[in-house]
Amino acid sequence: MTTDVPSRPVVPALPVVSALRRSPVATRKLLVFTCFLVTAATLTPIVMMVLVAFQSDSESMAAQPSFWPGTWHFDNISRAFELVPLGGYLVNTVIFAGGTTLLETVTAALAAYAFARLRFPGRGFLFGIYLATLMIPTQVTLIPQFILVAKAHGVDTWAGMILPHAFTALGVFLLRQFFLSIPRDYEEAARLDGANRWQAFTRVIIPLAVPAIATLAVFKFITQWNNLLWPLVISNSDSTRTASVGLQVFQSANGTQWNLLLMAATITTVPLIVIFFLTQRWFVRGITMSGLGGR
């Protein structure tokens, strides 16, 4: 006895979808056009920022502003540095972003290797709890962090600014997944040659994980370079104030100097663009080789 299985009704494809399936050229053109629109939408605010940065004071504060400068005022660069200690703010930003990046890459690599290779009771549970901290918004932990730093007399100090951001679960997760994708045979061969656990980690695992570590370092540096909330809370003087916090000096009760403010914002953005282009090869390679498919 046989039973007829009801056939699934055939839904005709839309004409546009059918045309794209039949024509790879049309699909490629649509993809290029979509990428162009997204790129234009992303770059438009940046271009407007740069144009207004070279305007005169009257042009930038006009009731009906025109984004194209009537006259290019390149002296706005020197005026931005004269109005506030922008050079010192940039140096402080490099110290803050570089210090947190260096410490996190070290701590994340050590913790990730322990979770990936070492066997100890409760390893999976502890790693799950550690990842659960990613669900907690930064604003929730801001006040407890500030209280701890204040009790340790770390307000307006480099230690108080850097140490609370030197340990994150995201960096551990990224490097752990990458370490899991590295075959254990490499370490076992090094152990057979007489290397201990630390030597196998530093001489075998770390060189193979350079793309993932570089990706983590770039992400961390860019994030901390743009960090506003924590430096705003913990810094009380120009000796530790970063560029993102220093931009508020251009705003006063008499109004906002938009051209100088956007000039300072442009100057603080240039280092990030340079760093990205210098590390683009490692960045892309680290993304493609990261541990989203790790076992």
Side-chain angles (χ1 to χ4, degrees):
M1 180 177 181
T2 60
T3 57
D4 295 332
V5 178
S7 59
R8 182 176 299 177
V10 179
V11 179
L14 297 175
V16 176
V17 177
S18 301
L20 292 177
R21 289 177 179 176
R22 292 193 301 266
S23 176
V25 177
T27 304
R28 190 180 302 110
K29 289 182 178 180
L30 179 61
L31 180 61
V32 171
F33 180 72
T34 304
C35 293
F36 174 78
L37 291 180
V38 174
T39 303
T42 304
L43 293 180
T44 297
I46 301 176
V47 174
M48 294 169 58
M49 176 185 69
V50 176
L51 292 177
V52 176
F54 287 98
Q55 289 182 349
S56 63
D57 295 344
S58 58
E59 287 178 328
S60 63
M61 300 181 67
Q64 296 180 350
S66 175
F67 293 104
W68 190 265
T71 303
W72 291 79
H73 291 266
F74 293 94
D75 60 318
N76 288 348
I77 300 176
S78 59
R79 291 177 60 196
F81 279 93
E82 292 172 358
L83 185 61
V84 298
L86 187 58
Y89 293 162
L90 291 175
V91 173
N92 294 340
T93 308
V94 171
I95 296 175
F96 173 64
T100 53
T101 300
L102 178 62
L103 286 179
E104 181 174 355
T105 51
V106 173
T107 57
L110 294 173
Y113 182 77
F115 282 120
R117 289 292 191 261
L118 303 183
R119 299 185 180 276
F120 52 89
R123 182 183 64 172
F125 176 77
L126 181 61
F127 183 69
I129 295 296
Y130 197 48
L131 285 184
T133 59
L134 293 174
M135 306 298 176
I136 304 176
T138 306
Q139 294 79 4
V140 175
T141 60
L142 179 65
I143 296 178
Q145 279 186 346
F146 178 79
I147 294 175
L148 291 175
V149 172
K151 289 184 178 296
H153 305 284
V155 177
D156 203 25
T157 63
W158 288 117
M161 290 185 63
I162 293 175
L163 290 180
H165 291 266
F167 316 91
T168 61
L170 180 61
V172 176
F173 172 75
L174 175 65
L175 295 186
R176 174 187 175 272
Q177 297 302 104
F178 192 91
F179 289 164
L180 289 175
S181 65
I182 299 176
R184 293 179 178 268
D185 298 341
Y186 297 155
E187 291 179 86
E188 294 176 357
R191 298 295 295 273
L192 291 176
D193 290 339
N196 55 30
R197 177 74 70 177
W198 175 255
Q199 291 173 336
F201 171 68
T202 56
R203 298 181 182 181
V204 177
I205 299 298
I206 293 299
L208 294 175
V210 166
I213 294 176
T215 302
L216 174 62
V218 172
F219 272 126
K220 183 68 175 182
F221 190 88
I222 293 176
T223 301
Q224 296 306 315
W225 184 279
N226 296 322
N227 194 339
L228 171 64
L229 187 58
W230 181 247
L232 180 64
V233 171
I234 205 67
S235 176
N236 296 330
S237 63
D238 289 341
S239 60
T240 57
R241 186 166 292 137
T242 59
S244 58
V245 179
L247 293 179
Q248 67 177 342
V249 179
F250 294 94
Q251 299 177 343
S252 62
N254 298 326
T256 301
Q257 296 177 280
W258 291 109
N259 55 341
L260 299 184
L261 173 61
L262 296 181
M263 175 58 72
T266 302
I267 294 173
T268 58
T269 305
V270 170
L272 295 181
I273 298 175
V274 174
I275 290 174
F276 174 77
F277 280 105
L278 291 178
T279 59
Q280 185 178 12
R281 179 170 64 92
W282 294 108
F283 183 81
V284 175
R285 185 181 176 189
I287 290 294
T288 56
M289 299 178 63
S290 59
L292 294 180
R295 56 184 181 275

